[in-house]
Amino acid sequence: MRLFFASTSPFARKVRVCVRELGLGADIDEILINPWTDDTLRAINPLAKVPTLVTDEGQVLFESAVICDFLDETARNAGKTDRRLFPIAGPSRWHALQLQALADGIMAATGRLFADQQRPASERSDFVMNRQADAVISGIDALDRQIDTLNATLPGIGEIAVASALEYLAFRWPDEQQFPLPASLAAWRAEFGKRPAMVETRFYLPK
């Protein structure tokens, strides 16, 4: 399989963490690209977005939630692991999916806000920027209220998404002054960040 990713994409990082947590590293060729300029990506994904996964059968999958779900099933079917990142049914499933949705929303708002801040002042919209910032702040608060449900020892898709979102905030604003984390959430992020899958997939700016 081939996984197209960008080193600054939190959605791609979420997928790459799942790859490692599921023991699929040897089965997937990770291809670093620039999604803004790479014609190869546009040819296989009409949205020209990362992450994009091409299966061994040639099927093209995009959107991180879809890819992670596919990888979870693939790993189990291949006997790589008995672990499930996506619970099958019941309250635990909806909790995991809701955590992922919340984290994905934080990632999206973070990315849009950071991009807007790089534009000339005359091209910015204070309304849009404030809306994105409010989403990040509210999202952090919602995560902090659920801190007791976050498992750093045997994480599922919810925790992986949350960790990717929180480290993305720190990547974009290293001084962490704009969106300071509550102490409990910062401690959870630090502990989760020690996992090999997180260490191997750190964000970095392309050269």
Side-chain angles (χ1 to χ4, degrees), residues 136-179:
V136 174
I137 293 169
S138 296
I140 291 172
D141 183 60
L143 289 176
D144 192 47
R145 293 196 302 270
Q146 302 178 64
I147 188 67
D148 290 340
T149 71
L150 299 179
N151 188 338
T153 303
L154 190 64
I157 189 57
E159 286 86 0
I160 291 171
V162 168
S164 299
L166 295 182
E167 288 210 352
Y168 186 53
L169 280 170
F171 171 66
R172 286 311 190 189
W173 292 286
D175 62 7
E176 302 203 50
Q177 295 299 308
Q178 185 156 353
F179 300 108

Side-chain angles (χ1 to χ4, degrees), residues 91-132:
S92 61
R93 175 174 175 79
W94 304 121
H95 176 67
L97 294 181
Q98 194 62 64
L99 272 180
Q100 178 180 217
L102 178 58
D104 284 358
I106 294 172
M107 294 179 199
T110 299
R112 290 168 187 163
L113 180 59
F114 179 80
D116 281 346
Q117 288 183 346
Q118 310 312 302
R119 296 176 178 174
S122 60
E123 297 179 11
R124 300 174 189 169
S125 166
D126 289 341
F127 173 79
V128 172
M129 292 178 68
N130 288 337
R131 182 176 175 81
Q132 302 303 334

